[in-house]
Amino acid sequence: MPAVIVSAAVGVFTYIPDFLAPRSTTWVAGVLFTLLFVMILALYRRPPRWPAVTISLALFWVVVFVGGVRYGTGLDYTETAFTLAMVASLSAVVSTFDRRDVGILVGGILVVCGIQLAFAVAETFLGLSAPRGYGTRSGSTFDVNELLPWTGRAPGTFGHAIPLGLFMAVAALLVLFHLRRLRLSVRIGMAALFVLGLMLSGTRSALLSVVIALLFGLCSSRLTRHYLAWRLATCLAALGFGVFSGVSELVSSLGLEGTGSLDHRLAALDALDKLFGRSVPELLFGSGAGSISRLFDLGLLQTDNFTAVDNQWVTLFALGGFVGVGCVVGALVASFRGIPPPCGRP
């Protein structure tokens, strides 16, 4: 069944993160899954739909691929082409899914997230050695967990804590807003477990994303559909928190004050001024695949000797220029427009 295969693919790729696994492994896995997705399309003979969000993202990848022709290497072209082929074939398969397939896929993703949660708990409380360590280091948990200061950050099988936190955030939101057939108490309990996994990863940005998503969901849920007062109270509470807590207190409470983490991310925003100074073609279409290292070497990105941009919008602009950023913005707008109205209202 296509949804089961896609779920299995997600599980496989959580165990072989491309930035740690041997390149030969990721390439072979990418080619095999691309062929598998194409075979699914051929066997099931369901005509794929190409919604605006998929087309926009495909255009972004084309921009990044073409933009790298001047500076990238043959290896960069190959990796980008592999990625584009796999993403395109996967998008084509998922676009054929009906409601039942989507339910199976969501269930499969939650199973994968449950496995990652088990790894995170075992790494934190049982001292299980993380299968891929943390970058090049071996051990169970790493660095300081600002969300749970008594422990380090658990990476699951990803080799890094941030992807684990992202997966846990997605799982918590899927449980709360997709599994509506389950009792609310059950959903809250399951979501709390995934939030625990998020906390074990120490990923503060993922926790903030969950809070924002919960506020949005609360303002459009069945609970508040007929009660404007609930929506107003929620918005006022969020506004009051922002006003009375103060940004400095919020930064301090999250453990960001005076940290390299915050300084590095602020430096990414400062780097935009330097990126705006590139040539007109690069401003429009970016520097393309394989250009991030070159941009660091040229001093156009952060200069603190940590070669990770840590800001997705800056990264998108560096790679794809204004056209690439426009493609991603178009994909986001299309995806939000495609979200069904809350509680089935027209």
Side-chain angles (χ1 to χ4, degrees), residues 41-100:
L41 291 171
L43 291 177
Y44 280 81
R45 297 182 180 180
R46 294 179 179 178
R49 301 180 298 273
W50 295 103
V53 58
T54 303
I55 295 174
S56 299
L57 291 178
L59 287 175
F60 168 77
W61 280 103
V62 170
V63 168
V64 169
F65 184 77
V66 174
V69 170
R70 183 178 177 185
Y71 303 105
T73 65
L75 189 61
D76 295 325
Y77 304 150
T78 305
E79 287 185 337
T80 306
F82 277 175
T83 302
L84 180 58
M86 187 175 68
V87 171
S89 59
L90 173 61
S91 300
V93 170
V94 174
S95 73
T96 67
F97 284 4
D98 55 22
R99 186 180 296 272
R100 179 171 177 269

Side-chain angles (χ1 to χ4, degrees), residues 7-8 10-12 14 107-117 167-168:
S7 301
V10 173
V12 169
T14 61
I109 291 175
L110 290 178
V111 168
V112 173
C113 291
I115 294 172
Q116 292 297 328
L117 173 61
F167 260 65
M168 293 298 100

Side-chain angles (χ1 to χ4, degrees), residues 257-273:
E257 191 173 29
T259 65
S261 177
L262 178 61
D263 294 340
H264 185 74
R265 284 162 174 79
L266 292 177
L269 297 177
D270 292 337
L272 283 173
D273 288 337

Side-chain angles (χ1 to χ4, degrees), residues 270-282:
D270 292 337
L272 283 173
D273 288 337
K274 293 178 283 187
L275 291 173
F276 283 140
R278 293 180 293 177
S279 64
V280 173
E282 285 187 280

Side-chain angles (χ1 to χ4, degrees), residues 1-7 46 94 96-112 174-175 177-182 190:
M1 187 171 292
V4 175
I5 296 175
V6 172
S7 301
R46 294 179 179 178
V94 174
T96 67
F97 284 4
D98 55 22
R99 186 180 296 272
R100 179 171 177 269
D101 291 323
V102 170
I104 294 174
L105 177 59
V106 169
I109 291 175
L110 290 178
V111 168
V112 173
L174 281 176
V175 167
F177 297 117
H178 187 82
L179 301 184
R180 294 186 179 274
R181 293 185 178 180
L182 297 179
M190 293 175 63

Side-chain angles (χ1 to χ4, degrees), residues 239-259:
L239 180 62
F241 176 78
V243 170
F244 292 109
S245 67
V247 175
S248 60
E249 287 79 1
L250 178 61
V251 168
S252 177
S253 66
L254 289 176
L256 293 172
E257 191 173 29
T259 65

